[in-house]
Amino acid sequence: MSKRPKTSPQQPTAERSDPGAPAGLNQIPLLQILSAQDRQKVLGEMTETRYGKGEYIFREGDPTEYFHIVKEGSVKCVKSSLDGKECTLKVLMPGDLFCCDASAFDGASHPGTAQPMGDVSVLRMKKEAYFKMLRANPDAAMEVIRYLGNRLNEAQEKAKVLALDRADQRLASLLVNLAERSGIKDPNGIRVTVRLTRQDMANMVGVTTETAIRIMARFKKDRLVTGTAARLVIRDLPKLKLLAST
Amino acid sequence: MSKRPKTSPQQPTAERSDPGAPAGLNQIPLLQILSAQDRQKVLGEMTETRYGKGEYIFREGDPTEYFHIVKEGSVKCVKSSLDGKECTLKVLMPGDLFCCDASAFDGASHPGTAQPMGDVSVLRMKKEAYFKMLRANPDAAMEVIRYLGNRLNEAQEKAKVLALDRADQRLASLLVNLAERSGIKDPNGIRVTVRLTRQDMANMVGVTTETAIRIMARFKKDRLVTGTAARLVIRDLPKLKLLAST
DNA sequence: CAAGAAACATGACAATAGTCATGTTTTATT
DNA sequence: AATAAAACATGACTATTGTCATGTTTCTTG
């Protein structure tokens, strides 16, 4: 729960995506599903844009014009309340889709803000072209349905955790998820590759920064984790899992 | 929007399959989208089932075999934690789809329990037939994408409220939603047609029953609402809206 | 319509998490 | 390497919500 950060608005760099076969594109399931021919066509309609720290991909309330895919880096989806508190609903990773949904339909506006975490690269496509693509490719449409269903389950699981669990359990759940979704092996356990400050974690589980710090300090003392932000390592995943559901 | 006033608490219309266009079915957007011909075909593949209080449509962990549509009544989607606490993630109303999502795909099991609230009638269809239908009907697939997108936004909004708002604000938000989604005019304000006990409300906003009772008592004292369960009436929607975001 | 079961209600107290204030350490920038 | 800015840390106090206990009212059902 933080007040809004101040930003120095820079212009993001936009460029036509290379129709050749840029590295990273094979991490995107939706594109993998298409025939080589359709993929080329779709890539021709997509633009790659890079964003840096402090920029916004779009903000809550902006009109929805594009469908997006994360190509590189992580993007956080944030909503904020009138009194300036904010919460992070989801961290998108390469291959994740956004604005693939209803808001993109009836001329509505973005229900939340999309913010890069560090340097990111995003592919985007006019929503009209996106809809056309879905209508023409039942496989792509099915993939989007599958994807949205997963996101819905995830969001409901998150709601359940927020509704029923204590702060320390919610934080433990977060750490377990991070380990499983963005963890790599490390001599001391599992290293989380997304850079997350205590404040970021606080925003992800609906507590204040102080509370997140205190709980993480306890976890550290109990040898469940080490390090902060850039060097966060999960040392005892089983115990965290246990704590998350106890 | 209930289809008829609830004068007699006993057995409603004993439904026999009217081959033409049975009443109730035109409240289901997904079916409306189909051509008359496709609709007939789909209806031929669907089975109508009735459930009563205390029964389950399916339970958390059961294998996912069917796609479902609510035809009459309300259905609650519930998850519970190991220590027996429950939370209600969503109340489905006529026209709502469930298991239209990913869990239905890779042979996974239900992430939550579906429970009727009173008497309900549900249409269901084998998932294989459902997928086939989606592939054959781009319009239907687009409708499901639209629907899932809305559900996702709703779930994320719910997560935000759980993460950032106080108990009384969450309850106020709930009442506002209820008024807007299932309210009918009443001499004293807006009557909520879904029967919800204080315990139900507590489960929907992640508080204990006692807390829900205390807060509702305060709302009653402040003339924001009247009545309980079956006769819940919202008397001052604007004030509740204000409270929800203050 | 009586009896039992839910639902509603309220008080006393405990636990959890937030707020505010202040200080230290780490990280980023010139 | 110096400096500024984040991030981390901790104490003291407060607010919010949960827990447990107990009693009343309202529905349901035989």
Side-chain angles (χ1 to χ4, degrees), chain A residues 108-124:
Chain A
S109 55
H110 289 295
T113 295
Q115 242 182 305
M117 306 173 73
D119 289 341
V120 307
S121 164
V122 166
L123 297 172
R124 65 180 199 186

mmCIF file of all heavy atoms in Angstrom, chain A residues 108-124:
data_model
loop_
_atom_site.group_PDB
_atom_site.id
_atom_site.type_symbol
_atom_site.label_atom_id
_atom_site.label_comp_id
_atom_site.label_asym_id
_atom_site.label_seq_id
_atom_site.Cartn_x
_atom_site.Cartn_y
_atom_site.Cartn_z
ATOM 1 N N ALA A 108 -14.654 -0.066 -23.804
ATOM 2 C CA ALA A 108 -14.431 0.308 -22.417
ATOM 3 C C ALA A 108 -12.984 0.755 -22.198
ATOM 4 O O ALA A 108 -12.167 0.728 -23.114
ATOM 5 C CB ALA A 108 -14.756 -0.859 -21.501
ATOM 6 N N SER A 109 -12.693 1.151 -20.966
ATOM 7 C CA SER A 109 -11.343 1.610 -20.684
ATOM 8 C C SER A 109 -10.639 0.607 -19.779
ATOM 9 O O SER A 109 -11.266 -0.259 -19.190
ATOM 10 C CB SER A 109 -11.412 2.975 -20.019
ATOM 11 O OG SER A 109 -12.230 2.907 -18.878
ATOM 12 N N HIS A 110 -9.324 0.754 -19.667
ATOM 13 C CA HIS A 110 -8.525 -0.176 -18.883
ATOM 14 C C HIS A 110 -8.936 -0.164 -17.416
ATOM 15 O O HIS A 110 -8.978 0.889 -16.794
ATOM 16 C CB HIS A 110 -7.046 0.193 -18.983
ATOM 17 C CG HIS A 110 -6.462 -0.088 -20.320
ATOM 18 N ND1 HIS A 110 -6.345 -1.360 -20.833
ATOM 19 C CD2 HIS A 110 -5.950 0.730 -21.267
ATOM 20 C CE1 HIS A 110 -5.788 -1.308 -22.022
ATOM 21 N NE2 HIS A 110 -5.542 -0.044 -22.328
ATOM 22 N N PRO A 111 -9.198 -1.355 -16.864
ATOM 23 C CA PRO A 111 -9.588 -1.418 -15.453
ATOM 24 C C PRO A 111 -8.405 -1.282 -14.499
ATOM 25 O O PRO A 111 -8.586 -1.161 -13.303
ATOM 26 C CB PRO A 111 -10.211 -2.807 -15.329
ATOM 27 C CG PRO A 111 -9.600 -3.613 -16.415
ATOM 28 C CD PRO A 111 -9.218 -2.664 -17.510
ATOM 29 N N GLY A 112 -7.188 -1.293 -15.023
ATOM 30 C CA GLY A 112 -6.012 -1.146 -14.171
ATOM 31 C C GLY A 112 -4.840 -0.604 -14.964
ATOM 32 O O GLY A 112 -4.951 -0.375 -16.166
ATOM 33 N N THR A 113 -3.738 -0.403 -14.273
ATOM 34 C CA THR A 113 -2.536 0.158 -14.870
ATOM 35 C C THR A 113 -1.538 -0.957 -15.152
ATOM 36 O O THR A 113 -1.438 -1.894 -14.380
ATOM 37 C CB THR A 113 -1.930 1.162 -13.875
ATOM 38 O OG1 THR A 113 -2.849 2.242 -13.712
ATOM 39 C CG2 THR A 113 -0.600 1.702 -14.346
ATOM 40 N N ALA A 114 -0.821 -0.845 -16.280
ATOM 41 C CA ALA A 114 0.235 -1.812 -16.595
ATOM 42 C C ALA A 114 1.578 -1.101 -16.553
ATOM 43 O O ALA A 114 1.795 -0.139 -17.283
ATOM 44 C CB ALA A 114 0.016 -2.430 -17.966
ATOM 45 N N GLN A 115 2.445 -1.588 -15.686
ATOM 46 C CA GLN A 115 3.718 -0.918 -15.439
ATOM 47 C C GLN A 115 4.874 -1.883 -15.611
ATOM 48 O O GLN A 115 4.842 -2.985 -15.054
ATOM 49 C CB GLN A 115 3.724 -0.482 -13.973
ATOM 50 C CG GLN A 115 3.804 0.981 -13.753
ATOM 51 C CD GLN A 115 3.851 1.284 -12.266
ATOM 52 O OE1 GLN A 115 2.974 0.848 -11.528
ATOM 53 N NE2 GLN A 115 4.877 1.995 -11.848
ATOM 54 N N PRO A 116 5.897 -1.500 -16.362
ATOM 55 C CA PRO A 116 7.064 -2.373 -16.501
ATOM 56 C C PRO A 116 7.819 -2.485 -15.181
ATOM 57 O O PRO A 116 7.866 -1.530 -14.414
ATOM 58 C CB PRO A 116 7.920 -1.646 -17.539
ATOM 59 C CG PRO A 116 7.428 -0.253 -17.577
ATOM 60 C CD PRO A 116 6.015 -0.246 -17.106
ATOM 61 N N MET A 117 8.381 -3.669 -14.919
ATOM 62 C CA MET A 117 9.282 -3.818 -13.778
ATOM 63 C C MET A 117 10.669 -3.958 -14.368
ATOM 64 O O MET A 117 11.059 -5.039 -14.778
ATOM 65 C CB MET A 117 8.931 -5.080 -12.994
ATOM 66 C CG MET A 117 7.474 -5.131 -12.578
ATOM 67 S SD MET A 117 7.009 -6.697 -11.822
ATOM 68 C CE MET A 117 7.805 -6.548 -10.227
ATOM 69 N N GLY A 118 11.401 -2.892 -14.419
ATOM 70 C CA GLY A 118 12.660 -2.919 -15.147
ATOM 71 C C GLY A 118 12.396 -2.788 -16.641
ATOM 72 O O GLY A 118 11.348 -2.299 -17.040
ATOM 73 N N ASP A 119 13.351 -3.198 -17.453
ATOM 74 C CA ASP A 119 13.192 -3.078 -18.905
ATOM 75 C C ASP A 119 12.315 -4.191 -19.435
ATOM 76 O O ASP A 119 12.522 -5.353 -19.102
ATOM 77 C CB ASP A 119 14.558 -3.159 -19.586
ATOM 78 C CG ASP A 119 15.388 -1.907 -19.329
ATOM 79 O OD1 ASP A 119 14.775 -0.880 -18.962
ATOM 80 O OD2 ASP A 119 16.618 -1.960 -19.482
ATOM 81 N N VAL A 120 11.344 -3.842 -20.248
ATOM 82 C CA VAL A 120 10.492 -4.860 -20.846
ATOM 83 C C VAL A 120 10.287 -4.587 -22.331
ATOM 84 O O VAL A 120 10.492 -3.469 -22.802
ATOM 85 C CB VAL A 120 9.100 -4.939 -20.172
ATOM 86 C CG1 VAL A 120 9.219 -5.109 -18.678
ATOM 87 C CG2 VAL A 120 8.266 -3.723 -20.510
ATOM 88 N N SER A 121 9.883 -5.641 -23.010
ATOM 89 C CA SER A 121 9.528 -5.515 -24.411
ATOM 90 C C SER A 121 8.156 -6.139 -24.614
ATOM 91 O O SER A 121 7.896 -7.247 -24.154
ATOM 92 C CB SER A 121 10.581 -6.228 -25.248
ATOM 93 O OG SER A 121 10.079 -6.441 -26.533
ATOM 94 N N VAL A 122 7.280 -5.404 -25.255
ATOM 95 C CA VAL A 122 5.888 -5.806 -25.387
ATOM 96 C C VAL A 122 5.478 -5.769 -26.854
ATOM 97 O O VAL A 122 5.826 -4.843 -27.567
ATOM 98 C CB VAL A 122 5.000 -4.834 -24.572
ATOM 99 C CG1 VAL A 122 3.542 -4.982 -24.927
ATOM 100 C CG2 VAL A 122 5.218 -5.029 -23.081
ATOM 101 N N LEU A 123 4.769 -6.803 -27.290
ATOM 102 C CA LEU A 123 4.198 -6.791 -28.634
ATOM 103 C C LEU A 123 2.764 -6.301 -28.544
ATOM 104 O O LEU A 123 2.041 -6.695 -27.626
ATOM 105 C CB LEU A 123 4.193 -8.206 -29.218
ATOM 106 C CG LEU A 123 5.546 -8.867 -29.425
ATOM 107 C CD1 LEU A 123 5.361 -10.335 -29.813
ATOM 108 C CD2 LEU A 123 6.339 -8.117 -30.480
ATOM 109 N N ARG A 124 2.340 -5.493 -29.477
ATOM 110 C CA ARG A 124 0.936 -5.110 -29.448
ATOM 111 C C ARG A 124 0.328 -5.037 -30.836
ATOM 112 O O ARG A 124 1.025 -4.927 -31.842
ATOM 113 C CB ARG A 124 0.739 -3.815 -28.680
ATOM 114 C CG ARG A 124 1.379 -2.647 -29.319
ATOM 115 C CD ARG A 124 1.144 -1.400 -28.497
ATOM 116 N NE ARG A 124 1.377 -0.262 -29.354
ATOM 117 C CZ ARG A 124 1.364 1.002 -28.937
ATOM 118 N NH1 ARG A 124 1.129 1.268 -27.683
ATOM 119 N NH2 ARG A 124 1.584 1.970 -29.786
#
